[in-house]
Amino acid sequence: MGFYMKQPVDPAKTTATYLWTGLNTPGVFLIQVEGEAPNFTSGFTLVRDPHFVGGLKIDSMGWTGPRGEGSTPYVSKGSFPGQFYPRIVVSGANGDFVIDVKEIPHDQVDDYMKSNA
């Protein structure tokens, strides 16, 4: 039987980008998390922590089980609308990590999205 639980996060390989959408409108955070999950894990998702106050906290989640020997690398991506914060918190099974946010101005969002398609 599998368990829905936090997955280990590699903070050095975790990125956060904020896309500005214009004046007086909230933008969007694009988050990418990488890590080494225990065998056998699937269904990786990024979930906003609804109880966190004072910014944005993202939990790296997945279904693990039955547990096997070793680990497998994973990548999980998500987008979250909201107010800009210069740093966010990404939480995994191995702790909470503060990640600096890269900003993309509203007039460069189209080019950014095309280059990352």
Side-chain angles (χ1 to χ4, degrees):
M1 172 166 67
F3 295 94
Y4 188 62
M5 55 193 272
K6 287 186 181 181
Q7 300 302 318
V9 170
D10 183 345
K13 294 181 180 177
T14 297
T15 61
T17 305
Y18 189 79
L19 305 179
W20 287 95
T21 55
L23 293 175
N24 299 320
T25 58
V28 178
F29 286 93
L30 301 180
I31 314 296
Q32 179 172 314
V33 174
E34 295 186 36
E36 291 278 333
N39 289 337
F40 299 90
T41 302
S42 62
F44 297 101
T45 58
L46 299 179
V47 179
R48 181 187 297 239
D49 183 338
H51 305 290
F52 186 72
V53 179
L56 177 64
K57 182 178 180 187
I58 302 298
D59 297 329
S60 181
M61 305 294 289
W63 287 93
T64 300
R67 291 194 73 149
E69 298 252 346
S71 62
T72 302
Y74 77 92
V75 175
S76 187
K77 298 179 182 181
S79 62
F80 304 90
Q83 172 185 337
F84 173 74
Y85 296 102
R87 287 174 297 287
I88 65 164
V89 177
V90 174
S91 182
N94 55 333
D96 294 344
F97 305 96
V98 176
I99 306 296
D100 290 327
V101 177
K102 176 183 174 184
E103 295 179 70
I104 305 297
H106 70 88
D107 58 348
Q108 297 175 16
V109 169
D110 287 340
D111 293 335
Y112 176 81
M113 295 303 289
K114 288 176 187 174
S115 69
N116 289 304

